[in-house]
Amino acid sequence: MEIRHGWRSLLFALVFTSLVNATPATSQELCSQSRAELLSKFDAPGNRMAFRNDGGLFDGGVCWWHSRLQRSSIYLSRYAPSLPRPTAGEAKAIVEHLVHFDSAVTIPGYANFNEFTKDHEGLIQQELNEWQIRDGFIQQQWVRGLYGRPSMPAAVLRERMARIFVKFKASKPGLWVMAQFPGITSHALLFTGMTRTAEGFDLKVIDSNRPEVTRTLVYKYGDRSIKLGNEGFTPFVGFQSDQEKIDATLRAHCGTRNIP
């Protein structure tokens, strides 16, 4: 029985390894997604993180990294619910690939990212905490949170929003935006929709503090900040290099069938 069990374990390990590093021929759904299809994936509740922003240094949260992982999962994950679920070690390997944007992954035993993150919340939270520490103390990313102001002259914010709109239209869906609140407090949002109106812009965002819903924010010409709940913030586009790494991984993975 032990020998037979050992062969089953070996077989599963081989299958799992091949899935994590799936060839273009076996993961075509990651390779030819239109902008509309990607936006639909961002909107689907099943593709959202199952738990909200939490943990981090001094319990200050990991919103930047929560949002970065959320975006990575949309582009680099596919699912094989009929296969056995991964062990803790295998789940950790999946998350690490998504954190480093270095491989397309197949997540066995789950139909979507929400189910996977619900079962592995503790493991994922630890990965987010460690990611924050690496960025904060090694790469000094924390300095970004000191740059901004929670409000600015209306004309300056109007120009800022116009530039963000151009970048949103030119970028892949899920634009990462830092939201600067009063003091040194900064948050992160993923912009999944940005529509010009006669009065300004309507924004659709994924907020790691409420990851299960798509929030709608409104910016009007003349505003000095954008309201999120009861507080105002000013926006700054960031971590575009993440998307560049994701695109490079997909090019390597998909060959000529990369996303548009």
Side-chain angles (χ1 to χ4, degrees):
M1 293 296 292
E2 292 180 359
I3 294 175
R4 292 175 62 187
H5 178 74
W7 275 108
R8 286 198 299 270
S9 298
L10 177 60
L11 179 61
F12 176 75
L14 291 172
V15 172
F16 177 81
T17 300
S18 68
L19 285 169
V20 168
N21 301 287
T23 64
T26 61
S27 58
Q28 187 173 357
E29 63 266 37
L30 295 181
C31 300
S32 58
Q33 302 175 101
S34 68
R35 185 177 183 88
E37 288 170 333
L38 286 164
L39 287 170
S40 179
K41 287 179 70 173
F42 273 105
D43 282 342
N47 291 330
R48 300 293 180 84
M49 297 271 281
F51 60 93
R52 58 164 296 185
N53 170 42
D54 199 4
L57 293 170
F58 312 112
D59 290 324
V62 289
C63 58
W64 292 12
W65 300 270
H66 189 290
S67 296
R68 293 168 73 189
L69 179 61
Q70 175 69 82
R71 176 167 62 176
S72 180
S73 71
I74 295 292
Y75 285 93
L76 297 178
S77 298
R78 71 186 192 106
Y79 304 89
S82 62
L83 293 177
R85 291 186 171 184
T87 65
E90 290 158 350
K92 179 178 174 66
I94 289 170
V95 176
E96 287 179 346
H97 280 305
L98 295 177
V99 162
H100 292 287
F101 321 110
D102 62 7
S103 178
V105 300
T106 295
I107 301 180
Y110 293 95
N112 55 53
F113 200 57
N114 186 271
E115 292 179 2
F116 175 70
T117 57
K118 187 179 297 181
D119 276 1
H120 297 282
E121 178 178 348
L123 180 156
I124 295 169
Q125 183 66 58
Q126 183 62 33
E127 289 292 325
L128 294 175
N129 293 346
E130 292 174 2
W131 195 3
Q132 181 190 56
I133 290 170
R134 287 196 303 273
D135 278 359
F137 289 100
I138 298 174
Q139 300 181 32
Q140 300 294 301
Q141 296 286 0
W142 62 271
V143 175
R144 297 187 186 201
L146 306 179
Y147 287 161
R149 296 168 292 172
S151 66
M152 57 181 58
V156 176
L157 182 55
R158 180 168 179 162
E159 182 182 349
R160 169 77 55 80
M161 293 301 291
R163 291 202 306 269
I164 291 176
F165 183 64
V166 170
K167 187 159 290 188
F168 175 83
K169 299 292 285 186
S171 300
K172 303 289 175 60
L175 187 69
W176 189 98
V177 175
M178 186 179 81
Q180 182 66 55
F181 286 97
I184 62 171
T185 303
S186 64
H187 190 47
L189 303 167
L190 293 178
F191 278 28
T192 61
M194 190 171 185
T195 304
R196 189 189 294 275
T197 69
E199 298 180 315
F201 293 99
D202 289 341
L203 311 171
K204 289 173 62 179
V205 306
I206 299 175
D207 176 2
S208 60
N209 286 337
R210 295 181 60 190
E212 73 284 359
V213 300
T214 298
R215 304 188 69 171
T216 300
L217 309 181
V218 176
Y219 161 76
K220 292 184 178 181
Y221 300 132
D223 288 347
R224 294 170 54 87
S225 64
I226 302 171
K227 286 288 187 181
L228 180 65
N230 295 322
E231 289 194 279
F233 72 89
T234 52
F236 302 81
V237 173
F239 289 114
Q240 285 291 80
S241 61
D242 288 1
Q243 188 67 60
E244 294 170 3
K245 292 174 184 176
I246 289 169
D247 290 347
T249 293
L250 286 173
R251 283 194 297 272
H253 181 73
C254 301
T256 59
R257 292 196 300 275
N258 189 27
I259 57 175

